[in-house]
Amino acid sequence: MIRVLPAVTATAILLSSTASAQTVLDVVAWKGNEAEPAGLPELIEKFEAENPDIDVELTYVARKDVDAVIPPRLQGGNPPDVTMVDSSLVDLWGGAGFLTDLGTDSAWYDQMVPAVRNVMTTDGEIFVYPLEVIGMGNFVNMDLLAQAGIDKAPVTLDELKAACQALSAEGIAPMIFAGSFPAMLYVGANGIDPNGASPAEYGSGERQFVGDDNFNASLDSVRDLVAAECFDPELQAGLDPWATAPQEFRSGNVAILPQGAWNIGGFSAVEGLNYQFAPMPSAYTEHGLALDLVGPGWAIPRDAANAEAARKWVDFFAEEENLNVFLEAEGAYSPFVGGVSTMPELAAPYTEARAQGSLILWPFSTLEFPKALQSEWEDSITGFLLNIDGDNEDTLQRWDDVVEDNL
Amino acid sequence: MRARRSLYLFTVPALLVIGLFFIHPIILTFDMSLTNYKGIGEANDVGWRNYERIFTRDRYLNEIWLTLWYTVIVVSALTVTGLFFAAMLHRLPLIRNFSRAALYTPAMMSFVVVGYIWQFLYSPLNGGINVALRDLGLGAWEQNWLGDPSIALYSVAFTQIWMFTGFTCAIFLAGFAGIPEEINEAGRLEGASSWQRFRYLELPLLGPSITVSVMLTTIGTLKTFELPFILTKGGPDGATRLLSIDIIDNLFGQYKFGFASALSIVMLAIVLAVAFIQNKVLRDREQS
């Protein structure tokens, strides 16, 4: 027994020293919980298997709580090793010098979709490894369309109006057009010409919304939709776009819902709901316009304790097969050129529009439009729907005022 | 004299707690309101610019007015309904305990749960209220409860009144319990009707309960955030955008911590002013 004791002690010391050599990588994200796993549990397991000296400790923090939880850690010099960020956080934290420049010489930098790369690079520095772009467009109930004798999701304005009239004639509610988010998507898709002026020109005040032909035509086309019986503007103006509207679509009460692809998982879980995800009908294209929202990415805080391990984490996601696990779980597209599409077949119309180059990056997600403008868009378009015969100028002037306030 | 001094010493811990956790944060907030702080990084001094913006823009003055109007509606309705149910239950001892618990139940529910339930009830598309009206042959009364700017504020207020009627009712029931039975007995012997006893005997004696109820509901309603946020997010087109919603929007929607702090200080000043005036008026009334 006395002989065995030193051996046991030595083994214990060896094991404990091995354990203390383990790097614990502190990762904070608003994905990865049970409700929205985003493939992270599987990816963490794989990362740890490839890097046996690193233990990943993922802390889930809801996006709305990130603003309160992370800044004190960044300022106190005790940040997580890796944190999930979106464009507004990159702007805020990166601008204050709290994020590490990941380097434009990174292997993945040149592979980024040029439009994404341009908006993510500031003064030659890039603070984020982007994980995804998420589509926004129309969810279309194909069974309800079939009842009206239509077998294709509408992607042009004429097709949309024809579908509305046919659905309305059958007594089917054609479309959700809640004044805030859904209406914003439509107005944006018909106001921003993918081959015309950059949204940044509007957001910087260089170009004004008032008097702009595109945005005036966009608001006019909303009146055309009303005339085609797509929706009752007064009834839908104040409809909640996040709870009531998706519930109506889920229940099969309405044929078309403008929303984001993040709903695909939820809608696909509804038994018997036969739907497609299509691009937004737009005056500028016959393919429909894909509205890509630049999603979250990984950033390494300036004072990260385990910067080297954090780099390994970012590089791990830069490998296509790993990123694809995340993208497939998210129902999102790769922000890198040549990425394999992991989107389900029901999103084929949207994917096709992207393949045709018929897409824009949603300017609120790239900060080309100031953040304050988003709530003004929501409010003013609601006001526009409540007074559909009012002057376009009343609505557009409000946008210019907010832009001016933010200059 | 020495004993008196030592009595004051006992207040020191309480004063320290108040100073540290109440006064100090207010001073910090005021300090932040004079900057353009974004929640992280440098805070640059901007003087009174944030306050100037608040008092020169219609948007913020409208929000202040809306917050006060909303408070008037909710507090008046809560006082009347609470008093009504308390007076009824005071006269119906057999169902008093059960009814008090039933009325109080909504106040124990989470704002989030209440908000989402009422959102579906108010929905213009197959919402419970419109469907019920239709089924009752009252289809002409159907409304876009949360989508019509002219009634959205009242719909939100109704939900809050529904939620907290039990709370004010409980306060008034406690007040009724404190009224000596002999007074009612004397009223009965004099031939006073139930209404006369309520109006001329009970109501004046409920003065302290009314003061407590009005003060608590006023302060709570002026700070209301959850229900309007869940039901309408301040819409449609700003029709229910109370001061508290704009504070949160500026804080976490736009990262304007400095400006949101200025709005918070304005809100604090309003709450203090209203509470002070109300307290003075109600106390004077009680004593007269």
Side-chain angles (χ1 to χ4, degrees), chain A residues 92-108:
Chain A
L92 193 66
W93 298 349
F98 285 101
L99 299 180
T100 303
D101 176 20
L102 299 178
T104 52
D105 55 349
S106 303
W108 45 265

Side-chain angles (χ1 to χ4, degrees), chain A residues 111 113 131-133 317-344 351 354-355:
Chain A
Q111 296 299 313
V113 172
L131 286 164
E132 62 182 13
V133 287
F317 277 83
E319 288 170 31
E320 191 178 357
E321 64 171 310
N322 299 331
L323 184 63
N324 284 347
V325 174
F326 181 87
L327 294 173
E328 193 169 356
E330 281 282 280
Y333 294 94
S334 171
F336 298 96
V337 175
V340 178
S341 174
T342 55
M343 290 294 279
T351 305
R354 292 182 93 245

Side-chain angles (χ1 to χ4, degrees), chain B residues 125-160:
Chain B
L125 309 172
N126 306 308
I129 294 175
N130 279 353
V131 169
L133 287 171
R134 215 175 301 150
D135 291 351
L136 291 168
L138 301 170
W141 290 12
E142 280 185 50
Q143 298 288 339
N144 190 356
W145 302 102
L146 296 174
D148 182 344
S150 61
I151 55 172
L153 188 74
Y154 301 98
S155 303
V156 176
F158 181 82
T159 306
Q160 182 144 352

Side-chain angles (χ1 to χ4, degrees), chain A residues 229-247:
Chain A
E229 297 177 36
C230 286
F231 56 89
D232 175 347
E234 285 189 20
L235 189 72
Q236 297 220 9
L239 195 72
D240 178 80
W242 306 110
T244 313
Q247 185 55 38

Side-chain angles (χ1 to χ4, degrees), chain B residues 8 10-21 23:
Chain B
Y8 280 115
F10 283 110
T11 65
V12 171
L15 289 174
L16 275 176
V17 169
I18 290 171
L20 195 63
F21 294 109
I23 309 293

Side-chain angles (χ1 to χ4, degrees), chain B residues 228-249:
Chain B
F229 184 76
I230 295 164
L231 286 169
T232 60
K233 299 221 167 26
D237 199 10
T240 60
R241 190 168 48 219
L242 307 181
L243 213 45
S244 54
I245 289 185
D246 220 15
I247 290 172
I248 293 293
D249 184 44

